Amino acid sequence: MPHQREPGLSLAEWLVLCLVRDRPMHGFAIAGLLADDGSLGRIWHVRKMVVYRAAHRLEQLGLIMASDKQPTSQGPARVPLWATPEGRQAAGAWLRQPACHARDIRSELLLKLALLDRAGADPRDLLLAQRSQLAPIAGALAGQIPATAGFDRVLLQWRYESVSSTLRFLDALLATVPAPRAG
């Protein structure tokens, strides 16, 4: 089923799709990565039941497929999941898109950076895109603060400081990412 536009997926569904993008994984392994003590769960925890529900929906959308059950000596048979070509394409596009809202930076951007690192991919384009998206927001907020009072001013100041802090974070990361080599 070809996708002309990005499917409306939840963050949990994107995570499952991205994790099976490059190699098959079974739901139990994905749930382990997204558990409280998992490498990705430290950023954003997803309960095991939600992982399986996400996998089911992704399969219905034609973005992942399940392989035959594989017996294991450590419990019930495992069903490896793998991304379809459409699923790999959608996951790759999502990983390059900045988080749409400043409030989603902590979860979505950090998860994308972790997934890119896990895949050995260069995060520079994502970092630059996120920076480009946030810089005008910081400027607009800074211009609005002097014209406000009371709690409206407090809220604008909070938003401005949050976005400015994120911009400093992005700049610090960009300073550590090696520049791409020409040619």
Side-chain angles (χ1 to χ4, degrees), residues 25-45:
M25 291 183 76
H26 52 80
F28 188 77
I30 295 169
L33 291 171
L34 297 173
D36 281 331
D37 59 349
S39 61
L40 295 171
R42 297 178 302 156
I43 303 165
W44 200 68
H45 168 70

Side-chain angles (χ1 to χ4, degrees), residues 46-150:
V46 180
R47 293 186 337 245
K48 190 184 314 185
M49 175 181 71
V50 175
V51 168
Y52 286 106
R53 192 177 319 136
H56 179 70
R57 180 158 185 263
L58 291 168
E59 191 171 11
Q60 288 178 323
L61 292 171
L63 298 172
I64 68 170
M65 295 191 71
S67 299
D68 292 333
K69 289 183 179 181
Q70 295 179 342
T72 177
S73 62
Q74 300 171 340
R78 305 274 163 82
V79 179
L81 307 169
W82 49 277
T84 63
E86 294 85 3
R88 282 192 300 279
Q89 182 180 1
W94 182 76
L95 284 170
R96 291 187 300 274
Q97 293 175 355
C100 293
H101 300 286
R103 67 180 173 264
D104 297 330
I105 298 289
R106 188 214 175 277
S107 54
E108 187 177 326
L109 179 66
L110 284 179
L111 286 166
K112 287 178 179 180
L113 291 171
L115 290 164
L116 289 170
D117 182 67
R118 181 179 169 83
D122 184 357
R124 178 173 291 280
D125 290 342
L126 174 62
L127 294 169
L128 290 170
Q130 192 69 69
R131 190 179 199 308
S132 293
Q133 186 177 43
L134 290 178
I137 295 170
L141 290 169
Q144 293 172 5
I145 292 171
T148 60

